[in-house]
Amino acid sequence: QVQLVESGGGLVQAGGSLRLSCAASGRAFSTYAAAWFRQAPGKEREFVAANDWSGTSTYYASYVADSVKGRFTISRDNAKNTVYLQMSSLKPEDTAVYYCAATPFRSTRSRNPSAFDYWGQGTQVTVSS
């Protein structure tokens, strides 16, 4: 069983940066693919980014590529059982609860929340204009 705990959210002005962390329990996490999703009020949960178990393969949401790619970077440190989402040049539309997720597969290209078995409780990111 894997438990995920996000941290690093908060209130930031537009143009600012935040680094979200997702700390996982369980040694097996180092072999799991991981992802970040976000959910804004009144909207469905949407995929943001994911990486494979080693962190060497990453991919980002295609439908938000224009706004996310280049501003968001997913990475992981398996020695610390932690996945990160570095966010820069934040915009008010990035305001959402950000969730960390994981799947026992070493790699996945899925952007569907149902493909991920483990979820954190979420961390709020609020970007003011």
Side-chain angles (χ1 to χ4, degrees):
Q1 189 73 8
V2 170
Q3 293 185 326
L4 306 175
V5 178
E6 302 96 333
S7 62
L11 174 64
V12 63
Q13 289 187 334
S17 299
L18 283 174
R19 188 177 79 159
L20 306 183
S21 298
C22 173
S25 64
R27 286 176 289 180
F29 179 77
S30 64
T31 66
Y32 289 11
W36 287 95
F37 288 78
R38 67 185 185 183
Q39 188 167 18
K43 295 187 177 181
E44 293 186 351
R45 190 167 300 189
E46 66 176 12
F47 171 81
V48 178
N51 60 15
D52 69 351
W53 69 278
S54 68
T56 58
S57 177
T58 62
Y59 61 101
Y60 297 87
S62 57
Y63 58 87
V64 294
D66 288 343
S67 61
V68 171
K69 192 174 181 181
R71 296 192 300 118
F72 290 8
T73 302
I74 187 171
S75 62
R76 66 193 296 162
D77 184 342
N78 283 340
K80 296 181 179 180
N81 257 18
T82 302
V83 177
Y84 304 98
L85 184 67
Q86 178 68 47
M87 306 186 295
S88 61
S89 301
L90 284 162
K91 304 176 181 180
E93 51 263 44
D94 295 319
T95 295
V97 177
Y98 283 72
Y99 296 91
C100 177
T103 170
F105 292 101
R106 287 179 175 256
S107 177
T108 178
R109 302 298 289 185
S110 177
R111 292 164 170 78
N112 192 326
S114 65
F116 295 84
D117 300 278
Y118 303 102
W119 291 85
Q121 82 289 349
T123 185
Q124 176 70 47
V125 172
T126 303
V127 184
S128 63
S129 57

